[in-house]
Amino acid sequence: MANQFIHQEYLVAGNNFNSAGSASEAVKSTLKKMGVASSDIRRVAIAMYEGEINMVIHAGGGIALVDIYYDKINILLNDKGKGIADLEKAMQPGYSTAPEEVQRLGFGAGMGLPNMKKYADVFDIQSEVGVGTTVKMTIYFG
Amino acid sequence: MNKERSLTRILTDKALHTVNLDPEKCRGCVTCMRRCPTEAIRVRNGKASVDYDRCIGCGECVRLCTHNAKLPSHDSWDTLEDFKYKIVLPPPSLYGQFNNLDNIDIVLSALLELGFDEVYEVGLAAEYVSSVTKIMLDRKEVKSPVISTACPAILELIMMKYHNLQDNLLPVLAPVDVAAKLARERAIAKGIPAEDIGVYFISPCPAKVFALKMGIGVNKPYVDRVLSVADAYMRLVPVMNNLKNTKSLTKMCATGLRWGVSRGEANAIFHEKTIAADGVENCVKILEAVEDGSLDDIEFIELNACTAGCVGGVMNVENPFVARGRLYQLARKMSTGVNHLTDVGKSKEYFTWEASPMVKDVFVLDEDRFTAMNKLMEMENVFSKLPQVDCGLCGAPSCRAFAEDLASGVIPADTKCPRLEEEKNQ
């Protein structure tokens, strides 16, 4: 029973700011139907949304694979974008490589990855220049 | 009725106080069902039926129904007989209904001619609410971004679906409650026996009818009867046209008047980083964004379920945009100042919530999370086999909603998708 999970997949379209947040919205809706505590839903929402918006801005889109268990959620974000050259730098709050026009739009403040790490209980990022980036997050429900 | 959902049935009298169906007129089309923001409507046996646990009273179904089958609930004008001493509370949106109105006193004086003993402008109370809001924002007493609670449909939506955002809610009474509270006290101070006093609000929307009947944020309702703007309009026009003397009654400034349109509330607090969204679908987008943390730099968010703000309420008579234009025009002729809290001699606490509204778990599929998960998995299983065109033929607003109704037992487990059945038979 405890090993059962709900699997969801979302395609995140690149350069489409209108649809950014729709995967987060769908996941939130599922968690609300499950009766997960609102504070946990908020952590999932922020981590998921930051991940989505990252893929939109930097990677030309990607996929989000979500497994929802009784007591946790596993989120895997995968893109075939340009990759991150310096992961250590990218994890620093305020560091941003977002194009200027995107920063003017109010995105790309350099808080995406740090926020994902902050709100996820388990955070792992793998990236290779020219290949893409994979982020794995787990959030436990209190 | 689903067993679980009936357990969570909290407010049974919502059926009396939001919208009702005229079954004679309902053709069972999918218009209202498709657009209900909380998916509260299903078409059963050829008629639209509302799950009142999920109804936020926004009036969207009333607005959209092409057969006039949806009726917003409110008290009839006959209820003026119910009390000896009648106080009427006209909302700012009311003034947008009249053509060529250049003086608010004409409306207020006409209300007295119609049999009310006293008027208290909701727009005046709104200015006090703005002052209190500004103080709370200046002192950062509420978590940012602070979300307005003046629109009861939005407040109800948050209580149902956005439990995350409870701490962001502005814990201040709605202007109508403040007006009712102050007006009643003033009448009692004059020596009118409390039991003789009846406070009547003229409402632009069913959400306010419901909120005032239930008493949201207050210990017990301050308003006794809720009339509709349309009913008041029909009676006011002939009286206004033949008004002999206009009394000097209005105290409201342009600031209070502008509360009748979207942005009126946000502009009145003089903070820079504010958002005002109107139309329930737009408000939902903002609430989702607040949850996602993408609006953390915003100080204040005003949300109105109706397009253009309260002038867009379904119990008005005039087109929302025409009414909005008139309010702007009228505001230009009025004092640009604002009535201050010191004028009423009340502390800030007088204006804040007496009781916090309760969250409602109407969207949880089951109290037991394992059972809820099983239902969700069943739902995904059903959904994957559906045409996913959201035609509404089955009586649910979307294929996903149909799958959820099946999995959660709202409809019998052997219910078939009519579209798939049709294809099979061809």
Side-chain angles (χ1 to χ4, degrees):
Chain A
M1 197 66 173
N3 293 324
Q4 279 190 315
F5 61 89
I6 300 165
H7 179 74
Q8 295 176 339
E9 293 186 21
Y10 302 95
L11 270 178
V12 180
N15 294 317
N16 182 351
F17 286 87
N18 276 324
S19 70
S22 53
S24 164
E25 190 174 335
V27 171
K28 279 188 285 183
S29 172
T30 302
L31 297 180
K32 285 174 187 179
K33 287 183 207 291
M34 272 173 68
V36 172
S38 58
S39 51
D40 292 331
I41 295 179
R42 190 154 198 171
R43 291 196 297 139
V44 173
I46 295 170
M48 186 88 199
Y49 176 78
E50 294 285 7
E52 258 185 272
I53 204 85
N54 269 355
M55 292 200 291
V56 173
I57 297 172
H58 300 285
I63 52 164
L65 305 178
V66 177
D67 291 333
I68 302 168
Y69 292 76
Y70 176 80
D71 56 354
K72 69 174 180 187
I73 180 169
N74 290 336
I75 302 165
L76 187 144
L77 306 164
N78 178 260
D79 69 62
K80 306 268 177 272
K82 55 186 177 288
I84 302 166
D86 191 336
L87 262 182
E88 210 170 301
K89 248 187 186 171
M91 291 308 297
Q92 287 169 8
Y95 177 78
S96 179
T97 59
E100 208 182 314
E101 66 266 29
V102 170
Q103 290 202 30
R104 268 205 302 273
L105 278 170
F107 296 96
M111 290 309 293
L113 289 173
N115 263 343
M116 288 157 76
K117 191 177 179 185
K118 180 178 161 194
Y119 289 104
D121 294 309
V122 181
F123 178 89
D124 177 65
I125 182 164
Q126 303 290 332
S127 190
E128 201 177 319
V129 175
V131 178
T133 304
T134 302
V135 173
K136 285 182 192 169
M137 294 185 283
T138 300
I139 290 169
Y140 293 102
F141 307 142
Chain B
M1 192 70 209
N2 169 26
K3 207 170 164 191
E4 278 89 33
R5 207 174 273 174
S6 66
L7 285 175
T8 61
R9 180 171 278 278
I10 311 144
L11 300 162
T12 44
D13 25 2
K14 228 182 205 175
L16 297 172
H17 300 318
T18 56
V19 290
N20 278 292
L21 186 80
D22 181 344
E24 299 279 304
K25 288 186 179 162
C26 178
R27 301 273 298 272
C29 74
V30 299
T31 308
C32 64
M33 177 178 78
R34 293 283 296 274
R35 293 282 296 275
C36 172
T38 56
E39 295 193 329
I41 303 174
R42 298 291 183 274
V43 176
R44 300 264 184 263
N45 304 316
K47 304 287 172 198
S49 101
V50 178
D51 175 357
Y52 287 100
D53 285 345
R54 287 188 177 197
C55 177
I56 58 167
C58 65
E60 200 67 13
C61 54
V62 179
R63 190 176 286 121
L64 292 163
C65 180
T66 44
H67 309 289
N68 296 318
K70 285 289 179 98
L71 307 166
S73 304
H74 55 81
D75 290 318
S76 88
W77 205 262
D78 298 337
T79 58
L80 257 70
E81 308 293 324
D82 295 354
F83 294 92
K84 277 190 198 153
Y85 192 85
K86 295 175 273 290
I87 304 170
V88 64
L89 314 176
S93 49
L94 176 67
Y95 312 114
Q97 310 302 310
F98 308 101
N99 202 8
N100 297 322
L101 180 73
D102 57 2
N103 181 359
I104 280 170
D105 276 330
I106 296 171
V107 180
L108 303 185
S109 302
L111 283 168
L112 294 183
E113 295 250 326
L114 283 174
F116 292 104
D117 298 283
E118 224 181 280
V119 290
Y120 198 105
E121 296 163 282
V122 176
L124 172 62
E127 291 175 29
Y128 301 141
V129 168
S130 293
S131 300
V132 174
T133 307
K134 186 175 184 317
I135 293 169
M136 294 180 94
L137 257 74
D138 290 347
R139 295 182 190 163
K140 300 194 189 305
E141 289 177 357
V142 187
K143 186 178 174 185
S144 247
V146 178
I147 302 172
S148 158
T149 51
C151 173
I154 294 298
L155 180 57
E156 189 75 355
L157 179 64
I158 293 170
M159 286 303 151
M160 281 183 194
K161 213 173 176 180
Y162 300 95
H163 299 180
N164 284 318
L165 309 180
Q166 275 179 88
D167 295 341
N168 301 72
L169 294 177
L170 180 70
V172 174
L173 297 177
V176 55
D177 280 311
V178 170
K181 203 171 169 181
L182 286 166
R184 187 181 290 276
E185 275 183 17
R186 194 170 70 178
I188 288 170
K190 274 188 200 169
I192 318 276
E195 64 273 19
D196 287 354
I197 302 171
V199 180
Y200 294 74
F201 176 56
I202 301 175
S203 181
C205 68
K208 287 194 168 78
V209 178
F210 172 70
L212 291 170
K213 294 281 178 182
M214 298 306 296
I216 308 289
V218 296
N219 289 326
K220 67 176 180 51
Y222 285 107
V223 171
D224 299 293
R225 299 289 181 269
V226 191
L227 309 167
S228 82
V229 167
D231 280 357
Y233 175 86
M234 298 307 285
R235 286 159 181 85
L236 278 168
V237 167
V239 178
M240 284 164 65
N241 283 331
N242 297 301
L243 202 64
K244 298 243 158 45
N245 53 25
T246 305
K247 289 183 181 139
S248 178
L249 297 162
T250 182
K251 290 200 181 81
M252 174 178 68
C253 300
T255 306
L257 181 71
R258 289 202 190 93
W259 264 73
V261 294
S262 177
R263 263 228 153 266
E265 183 188 2
N267 282 353
I269 52 168
F270 302 103
H271 273 249
E272 280 184 11
K273 292 189 171 177
T274 64
I275 290 178
D278 53 301
V280 69
E281 286 166 354
N282 299 322
C283 294
V284 163
K285 287 222 162 71
I286 296 290
L287 292 170
E288 294 285 342
V290 179
E291 272 194 330
D292 293 344
S294 65
L295 297 176
D296 285 354
D297 60 327
I298 302 295
E299 294 170 285
F300 184 78
I301 300 177
E302 173 190 338
L303 299 173
N304 288 289
C306 293
T307 300
C310 293
V311 289
V314 292
M315 276 147 60
N316 290 315
V317 294
E318 190 50 91
N319 173 293
F321 305 101
V322 174
R324 179 168 67 183
R326 288 176 182 166
L327 279 199
Y328 283 144
Q329 207 183 334
L330 196 52
R332 256 179 250 124
K333 298 188 172 106
M334 293 167 63
S335 159
T336 51
V338 62
N339 285 279
H340 287 285
L341 277 185
T342 43
D343 302 342
V344 274
K346 300 286 183 195
S347 68
K348 194 189 83 187
E349 285 64 36
Y350 183 88
F351 301 92
T352 51
W353 278 347
E354 298 164 1
S356 293
M358 302 269 281
V359 296
K360 293 157 195 176
D361 279 329
V362 292
F363 289 99
V364 181
L365 289 180
D366 200 284
E367 275 177 36
D368 176 63
R369 199 185 289 168
F370 274 123
T371 313
M373 273 186 81
N374 281 330
K375 287 179 178 178
L376 275 161
M377 283 186 267
E378 173 60 14
M379 186 180 144
E380 288 297 326
N381 182 35
V382 173
F383 178 70
S384 65
K385 291 167 194 149
L386 293 174
Q388 302 179 12
V389 291
D390 300 342
C391 68
L393 270 180
C394 61
S398 64
C399 290
R400 201 164 273 286
F402 176 76
E404 185 176 331
D405 286 353
L406 257 185
S408 59
V410 175
I411 51 175
D414 58 354
T415 312
K416 298 274 186 284
C417 161
R419 208 179 162 105
L420 285 183
E421 288 297 290
E422 204 176 293
E423 276 171 25
K424 227 188 271 174
N425 294 335
Q426 268 169 10

